[in-house]
Amino acid sequence: MVGNDKNVGVKKEKGIRKLTDRISFWKAKSQADEEERHSPKPKPKLKKIKAKTKQPKNKKFQVIEPQRKANEAKKKEARIKVEAQRKANEAKIEAQRKANEAKKKEARIKVEAQKKANEAKIEAQKKANEAKIEAQRKANEAKIEAQKKAKEAKIEAQRKANEAKKKEARIKIEAQRKAKEAKKKEARIKVEAQRKANEAKIVAQRKANEAKIVAQRKAKKAKIVAQRKAKEAKKKEARIKVEAQKKAKEEAKKKEEEAKKKEEEAKRTYEDELEEQLSEEEITGFQLEKTDMDKMCNRVCEIIAGYENEGTLQSELWKKLKLSSRDGSRLALKLERMGMITREKILEKQRWTYKLIIKKIPISTKSIEGAPCLTCPVQSKCSIDGEISPKTCQWIEDWVLIELKK
Ligand code: SF4
């Protein structure tokens, strides 16, 4: 459409330019004619006139009167002739000029008419062009409108077709959905029927199971009752048996205890009775009259230590120390409580007595007699981890070596 409009515009412009050129041409021509018409007519040249009259040039004038007169008459006649000729020529020229002017006027009128006709033609052409352009424009507009309408109609048709398609698709989908729903419903009904059938089956199965369980339970119960009765009978039998065994055991235990008691009675010594009779304070606080008990304890321990792990019979020790059996026994109990010795009950010559074994050897004061530390001048500065220490002391080393040699 735009291309068509452009072509129309170009054509129109070309036409106008052509008309303008023609008008310019006619204007220039008419102006030239006008100028020619108004320009003065050149006078005939004297030379030419002379040539025509054949007048001599530079001739000595030898006038003879008659001759001269004749000549003058001739000349006059010639002049008149020439004048007449000139006038005739002038008249002819004037007529010619008038004829030319008339012709020019006619031509001018013709040109004017032509110009007007051309102008009218151009105007008509212009109007025709404009009408053509307008018609073209209207045709184009109509065409565009028609195309637009056709397009709209096409779009509308397309839209309607799409809508119809969509509607069709919707209907199809709806139909599919309904078909699916119907299928689902059918499946649901089927499942429901299956479920009911299963439930009925389960109920029947359950009832059968329950009946079976009841029967089994009854049978089990009967069996359990029978087993329980059998067990009870067995238990009763076992109880009787156990009772008998228990009684036998109790009797045996009783006998054993009695035997043990008798044995214990037999084992029982004077020290055991003494231990039962005395309190702990009386045992640990035992003192012999007019005796240094520390020294006595040390001496007893030294004697027992002499027997090392074998130990010695307390009766023999008391004899050595000239102690009574009662004092010796109490002293042995004291040393045991002090943790110095242990007592071991043994049967000696069909009689139960105690063997005494050393547990901890007491330190004798004699052993530290002569130790350099007692008289050491730097004793106050001496310590295990100090600068002056028993670990590095030469005095203590010498003393230990001497004591070992003894
Ligand atoms: S260890 Fe030696 S230095 Fe220390 S107090 Fe005894 S004797 Fe003196």
Side-chain angles (χ1 to χ4, degrees):
M1 284 299 290
V2 176
N4 286 336
D5 287 348
K6 209 171 181 179
N7 287 335
V8 169
V10 169
K11 278 178 183 177
K12 192 181 172 185
E13 202 177 325
K14 272 182 181 177
I16 290 164
R17 206 183 295 140
K18 214 172 175 181
L19 284 170
T20 313
D21 290 345
R22 278 180 189 171
I23 290 160
S24 301
F25 169 73
W26 284 110
K27 268 184 181 178
K29 198 181 176 187
S30 64
Q31 200 175 355
D33 290 345
E34 193 73 18
E35 278 172 5
E36 196 183 340
R37 192 157 49 90
H38 291 290
S39 64
K41 189 78 182 171
K43 284 179 182 177
K45 284 180 180 176
L46 191 60
K47 275 182 182 178
K48 282 179 182 178
I49 294 165
K50 278 180 179 176
K52 282 176 183 177
T53 54
K54 293 177 183 178
Q55 194 173 356
K57 215 178 189 181
N58 296 326
K59 234 178 201 182
K60 284 182 180 177
F61 190 68
Q62 292 173 351
V63 179
I64 305 164
E65 196 59 23
Q67 184 81 33
R68 189 189 59 87
K69 281 184 178 178
N71 285 338
E72 274 184 4
K74 271 185 179 180
K75 280 180 184 178
K76 198 177 177 181
E77 192 183 347
R79 259 198 317 267
I80 291 163
K81 223 176 175 178
V82 166
E83 191 64 25
Q85 186 67 39
R86 190 186 60 78
K87 279 182 181 177
N89 283 338
E90 276 182 3
K92 199 178 176 182
I93 289 162
E94 187 63 27
Q96 188 70 37
R97 191 184 60 78
K98 278 182 181 176
N100 284 340
E101 272 185 4
K103 266 186 182 178
K104 279 179 185 175
K105 196 177 178 182
E106 193 183 344
R108 207 163 45 243
I109 290 160
K110 211 174 176 181
V111 166
E112 198 67 27
Q114 187 68 37
K115 189 182 168 187
K116 280 182 181 174
N118 284 337
E119 279 178 2
K121 201 177 174 183
I122 289 161
E123 189 65 24
Q125 187 72 34
K126 194 179 170 187
K127 280 182 180 174
N129 283 339
E130 280 178 1
K132 200 176 174 183
I133 289 161
E134 185 64 22
Q136 187 70 37
R137 189 183 59 75
K138 279 182 180 174
N140 286 338
E141 276 181 4
K143 200 176 174 184
I144 289 162
E145 190 66 24
Q147 282 176 347
K148 196 178 168 186
K149 278 181 181 174
K151 210 171 181 180
E152 280 177 0
K154 199 176 174 183
I155 290 163
E156 185 64 22
Q158 189 71 36
R159 191 184 60 76
K160 279 181 180 174
N162 287 339
E163 272 186 5
K165 266 187 183 177
K166 278 180 184 174
K167 199 176 175 183
E168 197 181 339
R170 261 202 312 275
I171 289 162
K172 207 172 175 183
I173 288 164
E174 188 66 20
Q176 281 176 348
R177 191 184 61 76
K178 279 181 180 174
K180 272 184 185 175
E181 274 185 4
K183 261 188 182 179
K184 275 184 185 174
K185 198 175 176 182
E186 196 182 339
R188 258 201 315 275
I189 289 161
K190 210 171 175 182
V191 167
E192 188 67 21
Q194 187 70 36
R195 189 183 62 76
K196 280 181 181 174
N198 285 339
E199 275 182 5
K201 202 176 172 184
I202 289 163
V203 168
Q205 187 74 35
R206 187 168 54 76
K207 281 181 180 173
N209 285 339
E210 278 177 2
K212 202 175 173 183
I213 288 164
V214 168
Q216 281 177 349
R217 205 181 289 150
K218 278 180 181 174
K220 208 172 180 180
K221 208 172 176 182
K223 200 177 173 184
I224 288 165
V225 168
Q227 280 176 348
R228 187 170 54 78
K229 280 181 179 174
K231 271 183 185 177
E232 276 178 2
K234 264 189 181 178
K235 273 182 185 175
K236 199 175 176 181
E237 196 181 337
R239 217 166 31 242
I240 291 162
K241 209 173 176 181
V242 166
E243 202 70 31
Q245 282 176 350
K246 199 176 173 183
K247 273 184 182 174
K249 269 185 183 177
E250 275 176 1
E251 276 179 17
K253 200 175 177 183
K254 214 172 179 180
K255 280 178 183 174
E256 196 180 334
E257 277 174 1
E258 279 175 5
K260 210 172 179 182
K261 208 172 177 182
K262 278 180 184 174
E263 196 182 347
E264 286 288 322
E265 282 293 323
K267 270 187 177 180
R268 195 170 176 79
T269 59
Y270 172 69
E271 284 78 15
D272 294 334
E273 285 175 11
L274 200 62
E275 205 171 354
E276 281 176 6
Q277 288 167 10
L278 297 171
S279 65
E280 281 299 308
E281 283 175 3
E282 283 174 330
I283 291 168
T284 53
F286 172 65
Q287 295 284 334
L288 284 167
E289 280 183 17
K290 298 175 185 175
T291 307
D292 185 343
M293 286 306 287
D294 288 337
K295 277 186 179 179
M296 174 59 83
C297 287
N298 282 338
R299 196 179 164 202
V300 171
C301 286
E302 279 175 9
I303 293 166
I304 296 168
Y307 293 97
E308 296 180 346
N309 291 332
E310 290 297 315
T312 181
L313 290 171
Q314 62 177 3
S315 54
E316 288 176 7
L317 187 63
W318 308 149
K319 275 179 192 172
K320 270 185 190 176
L321 293 168
K322 293 177 182 173
L323 287 171
S324 65
S325 181
R326 179 181 170 79
D327 290 341
S329 297
R330 291 186 71 179
L331 184 58
L333 285 169
K334 182 181 171 100
L335 290 170
E336 190 189 41
R337 295 296 192 271
M338 286 168 74
M340 307 300 283
I341 60 165
T342 54
R343 296 186 304 143
E344 190 183 320
K345 205 173 201 177
I346 57 166
L347 193 63
E348 179 73 21
K349 293 176 184 172
Q350 304 297 319
R351 190 170 166 263
W352 286 96
T353 184
Y354 280 97
K355 189 199 259 186
L356 306 177
I357 301 160
I358 193 72
K359 196 176 177 183
K360 200 195 281 180
I361 300 166
I363 298 166
S364 169
T365 50
K366 266 188 181 179
S367 62
I368 58 168
E369 280 175 11
C373 303
L374 297 172
T375 55
C376 179
V378 289
Q379 189 198 9
S380 60
K381 294 175 184 175
C382 182
S383 64
I384 292 290
D385 299 319
E387 198 177 335
I388 299 165
S389 166
K391 290 176 186 175
T392 55
C393 179
Q394 191 58 48
W395 295 327
I396 207 102
E397 194 180 334
D398 295 342
W399 175 72
V400 169
L401 288 170
I402 292 162
E403 285 297 310
L404 281 171
K405 281 175 186 172
K406 284 179 183 175

